[in-house]
Amino acid sequence: MRLLLVEDHVPLADELLAGLSRQGYAVDWLADGRDAVHQGATEPYDLIILDLGLPGKPGLEVLQAWRAAGLATPVLILTARSSWAERIEGLKAGADDYLCKPFHPQELHLRVQALLRRAHGLANQPQLQASGLELDEGRQSVSRAGKVVELTAAEFRLLRYFMLHPGQLLSKSHLTEHLYDGETERDSNVLEVLVNRLRRKLGSEVIETRRGQGYRFSEQPE
Ligand code: CA
């Protein structure tokens, strides 16, 4: 999943980037509200974390601009003040959730996880389930019929994306846009290798190849 973090306080941004990256998210970072208006609306983000106190343009106006343009991406706002008025303004402007600073990193990770599942029509259960598999996002492992299968970080990122989109045809370019941040070079050969490794670990039937179109993660257990 690819996230945009808009936060001008550099030490906090560094900490959040490191934590989110450990959780298997590809994250682009911006510090200026004007840049965020453009980039948030043009890059295919799965979720946006937006500080409200920003240079360039206030976070509230950034959010209003995105929603006015029809952007439906889930937005989690960060507010520096424990002011209920600011939280209410943010929610009225189209925020999906909020966190008041300071917060524990785990609270952010769990809210991000819940928002992503909700955005895909899934309830936020302890484990993400699809096609007979249960994904443990905390341990970054998957289990089938009670048997735990260990995953590398890259395998986990790809499997989580598939499990949030069961039954959907996903092109290679779509997958690479959502698995890598804007700085990483995208290589569809790497994607093929990862798909093959997941098939070897989980069974070839879990991921179907559609020639020239992409991949489809099985909706039902075989
Ligand atoms: Ca700020």
Coordinates of all heavy atoms in Angstrom, one line a residue, residues 7-9 51 53-54 101, ligand 1:
E7 N 3.7 16.3 6.5 CA 4.1 16.7 7.9 C 5.3 17.6 7.8 O 6.3 17.2 7.2 CB 4.3 15.5 8.7 CG 5.0 15.7 10.0 CD 4.2 16.6 11.0 OE1 3.1 16.2 11.4 OE2 4.6 17.7 11.3
D8 N 5.3 18.8 8.3 CA 6.4 19.7 8.2 C 7.4 19.6 9.4 O 8.5 20.2 9.3 CB 5.9 21.2 8.1 CG 5.2 21.6 9.3 OD1 4.2 20.9 9.7 OD2 5.5 22.7 9.9
H9 N 7.1 18.9 10.4 CA 8.0 18.8 11.6 C 8.9 17.6 11.3 O 8.5 16.4 11.3 CB 7.2 18.6 12.9 CG 8.0 18.5 14.1 ND1 9.0 19.5 14.4 CD2 8.1 17.6 15.1 CE1 9.6 19.2 15.5 NE2 9.1 18.1 16.0
D51 N -1.0 16.5 8.3 CA -0.9 17.4 9.4 C -1.7 18.7 9.1 O -1.8 19.1 7.9 CB 0.6 17.8 9.6 CG 0.8 18.8 10.8 OD1 0.0 18.7 11.7 OD2 1.7 19.6 10.7
G53 N -1.4 21.8 10.6 CA -0.5 23.0 10.6 C 0.6 22.9 9.7 O 1.7 22.3 10.0
L54 N 0.5 23.5 8.5 CA 1.5 23.3 7.4 C 1.9 24.6 6.9 O 1.1 25.6 6.8 CB 0.9 22.5 6.3 CG 0.6 21.0 6.5 CD1 -0.1 20.5 5.2 CD2 1.9 20.2 6.7
K101 N -1.6 15.0 18.4 CA -0.3 14.9 18.8 C -0.1 15.3 20.3 O -0.8 16.2 20.7 CB 0.6 15.9 18.0 CG 0.7 15.6 16.6 CD 1.5 16.7 15.9 CE 1.5 16.6 14.4 NZ 2.2 17.7 13.8
Ligands
CA1 CA 2.9 21.2 11.5

